[in-house]
């Protein structure tokens, strides 16, 4: 067990590379690995894994919901959430830019026969009450049965204001719909707003939360909601092959993440803002508004390729879609790495 220190030496040496592609690249710290190594485990399919049970209880409590389920990924959490609310032939309303519509292979439609209606979002990245009102289908044989509204927070690092989420949720409920939140990074939103996790999600019926992004766990997400929903989700998790056995070694990392790594997200936000301000001072760059842990930078089109080469030469990894680069700050990014990114830009852009 004491070997964890030694086995982790190469991990910290990896800080030579500043990996800002995503907060999914975080690696479990030596303390987290120790918690994993020490975890009490059992067969979770029998309900026998005390660490999984504890994570599910703690997550439900932190999110202010009746029950929670430990799942393998955020995608699986959203999939099980949508499939637990909607039967085949029913419909979920969601924002066109949202992850559930863009980046989850339309799993709810492909696997569950659930229709998705992708709607425009407001400037605040919420669904406007009027948008929901007009998208709910009439009781008509030509239409699917609208059952659910799905929102997201944060959206591309931006915090969706709580009043906007609340207004959408009220519009949904007034029409008999349930409300799900893709809260992959809702802990970033809560910390940025200075509210508890449960206050950040009190307006929704169910929520998914990634443990493996800024919170630093190697694997796993939470789906939380009403007890009967979580019971259905547990059955569906088995159906999609997501039920795991001695998952306590993973749940221990999730517990560590929830207990130790939520408040520290403020450090990531401060570093992202410091980087954002440095880059915003460079005239030729277009830089995003303040976000949580993300900075988006659009260089002049003719500089894109050379800039990427300069960043790579400086040991900076970045999400390099064209025309906009995305930098994501997380617990393995320190001040020196932020400085390295900023000076690479300043030198390259000739300041
Ligand atoms: C990362 C992410 C997910 C799910 O991601 P997994 O890679 O499946 O864990 C869902 N929604 C949003 C907004 C995300 O950023």
């Amino acid at each position: 067990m004491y070997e964890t220190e030694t086995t982790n030496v190469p991990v910290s040496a990896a800080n030579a590379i500043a990996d800002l592609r995503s907060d999914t690249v975080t690696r479990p710290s030596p303390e987290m690995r120790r918690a994993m190594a020490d975890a009490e485990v059992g067969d979770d399919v029998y309900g026998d894994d005390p660490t999984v049970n504890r994570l599910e209880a703690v997550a439900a409590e932190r999110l202010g919901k009746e029950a929670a389920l430990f799942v393998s990924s955020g995608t699986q959490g959203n999939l099980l959430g949508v499939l637990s609310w909607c039967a085949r032939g029913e419909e979920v309303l969601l924002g066109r830019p949202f992850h559930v519509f863009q980046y989850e292979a339309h799993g709810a439609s492909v696997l569950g026969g659930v229709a998705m209606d992708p709607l425009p979002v407001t400037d605040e990245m919420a669904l406007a009450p009027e948008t929901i009102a007009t998208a709910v289908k009439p009781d008509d044989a030509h239409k699917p049965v609208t059952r659910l509204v799905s929102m997201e927070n944060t959206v591309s690092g931006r915090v969706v204001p709580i009043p906007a989420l609340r207004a959408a949720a009220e519009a949904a409920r007034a029409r008999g719909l349930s409300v799900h939140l893709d809260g992959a990074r809702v802990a970033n939103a809560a910390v940025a707003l200075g509210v508890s996790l449960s206050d950040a999600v009190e307006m929704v019926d169910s929520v998914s939360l990634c443990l493996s992004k800024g919170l630093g766990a190697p694997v796993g997400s939470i789906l939380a909601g009403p007890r009967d929903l979580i019971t259905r989700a547990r059955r569906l998790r088995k159906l999609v092959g997501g039920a795991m056995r001695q998952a306590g070694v993973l749940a221990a990392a999730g517990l560590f993440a929830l207990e130790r790594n939520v408040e520290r997200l403020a450090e990531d936000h401060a570093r992202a803002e410091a980087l954002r301000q440095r880059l915003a001072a460079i005239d030729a760059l277009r830089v995003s508004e303040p976000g949580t842990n993300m900075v988006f930078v659009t260089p002049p089109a003719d500089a894109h390729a050379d800039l990427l080469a300069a960043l790579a030469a400086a040991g900076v990894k970045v999400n390099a879609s064209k025309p906009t680069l995305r930098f994501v700050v997380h617990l393995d990014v320190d001040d020196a790495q932020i400085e390295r990114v900023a000076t690479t830009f300043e030198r390259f852009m000739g300041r």
Side-chain angles (χ1 to χ4, degrees):
M1 198 179 4
Y2 295 105
E3 280 149 32
T4 16
E5 300 291 6
T6 356
T7 47
N8 270 289
V9 170
V11 174
S12 34
N15 279 8
I17 299 289
D19 193 344
L20 286 96
R21 288 173 300 173
S22 175
D23 45 12
T24 56
V25 304
T26 52
R27 286 174 240 221
S29 64
E31 296 78 12
M32 183 182 275
R33 287 173 187 246
R34 205 164 297 129
M36 296 172 72
D38 292 348
E40 240 189 289
V41 298
D43 188 331
D44 182 50
V45 180
Y46 285 99
D48 277 356
D49 190 303
T51 310
V52 172
N53 293 342
R54 196 151 72 82
L55 171 62
E56 290 178 345
V58 167
E61 204 266 324
R62 291 287 298 269
L63 291 161
K65 304 298 178 204
E66 276 178 8
L69 184 69
F70 182 46
V71 297
S72 61
S73 68
T75 299
Q76 190 175 78
N78 289 327
L79 174 68
L80 301 184
V82 174
L83 296 190
S84 300
W85 286 117
C86 303
R88 182 170 289 274
E90 296 182 338
E91 176 191 56
V92 52
L93 308 179
L94 74 182
R96 178 174 287 278
F98 293 172
H99 199 277
V100 172
F101 189 72
Q102 294 291 340
Y103 302 112
E104 299 182 9
H106 287 204
S109 302
V110 174
L111 300 175
V114 176
M116 291 196 256
D117 191 355
L119 303 171
V121 295
T122 65
D123 292 343
E124 294 179 323
M125 306 307 275
L127 292 169
E130 315 79 73
T131 305
I132 292 171
T134 51
V136 175
K137 309 302 178 285
D139 182 8
D140 178 327
H142 298 83
K143 305 290 186 182
V145 176
T146 311
R147 187 65 77 198
L148 180 69
V149 167
S150 183
M151 293 192 287
E152 186 173 310
N153 200 12
T154 61
V155 181
S156 300
R158 282 183 53 196
V159 177
V160 185
I162 285 178
L165 293 170
R166 208 175 273 149
E170 279 165 15
R173 288 224 185 76
R175 289 159 185 84
L177 311 180
S178 298
V179 183
H180 175 73
L181 182 75
D182 175 355
R185 295 190 181 88
V186 76
N188 294 83
V191 167
L193 291 167
V195 303
S196 65
L197 273 178
S198 59
D199 282 351
V201 304
E202 52 78 20
M203 75 297 287
V204 301
D205 300 300
S206 62
V207 56
S208 63
L209 163 77
C210 280
L211 300 166
S212 63
K213 290 187 170 166
L215 299 184
V219 178
S221 278
I222 291 292
L223 174 68
R227 195 170 303 284
D228 59 340
L229 181 94
I230 297 304
T231 301
R232 294 200 293 281
R234 196 176 287 280
R235 178 185 292 264
L236 289 164
R237 186 184 65 174
K238 188 70 190 167
L239 181 150
V240 299
M244 298 179 282
R245 301 293 177 171
Q246 286 73 34
V249 285
L250 301 175
L255 269 169
F256 186 99
L258 274 183
E259 283 163 1
R260 305 274 293 276
N261 288 346
V262 174
E263 285 71 25
R264 67 150 305 286
L265 291 170
E267 295 173 31
D268 299 341
H269 300 172
R271 288 195 176 100
E273 180 56 15
L275 176 63
R276 196 190 71 81
Q277 289 183 13
R278 285 280 288 278
L279 300 183
I282 302 173
D283 283 343
L285 300 177
R286 213 149 47 71
V287 179
S288 55
E289 295 299 304
T292 47
N293 65 332
M294 296 190 195
V295 181
F296 293 85
V297 185
T298 313
D302 58 357
H304 192 273
D306 290 343
L307 178 60
L308 282 181
L311 288 165
V316 178
K317 289 189 174 178
V318 57
N319 193 314
S321 351
K322 217 166 176 177
T324 301
L325 315 185
R326 183 184 79 164
F327 294 87
V328 186
V329 179
H330 51 75
L331 50 66
D332 291 338
V333 174
D334 59 18
D335 290 334
Q337 293 179 337
I338 295 289
E339 182 62 31
R340 180 142 40 109
V341 177
T343 52
T344 303
F345 268 94
E346 286 163 358
R347 283 194 197 126
F348 181 85
M349 305 305 294
R351 282 183 83 251

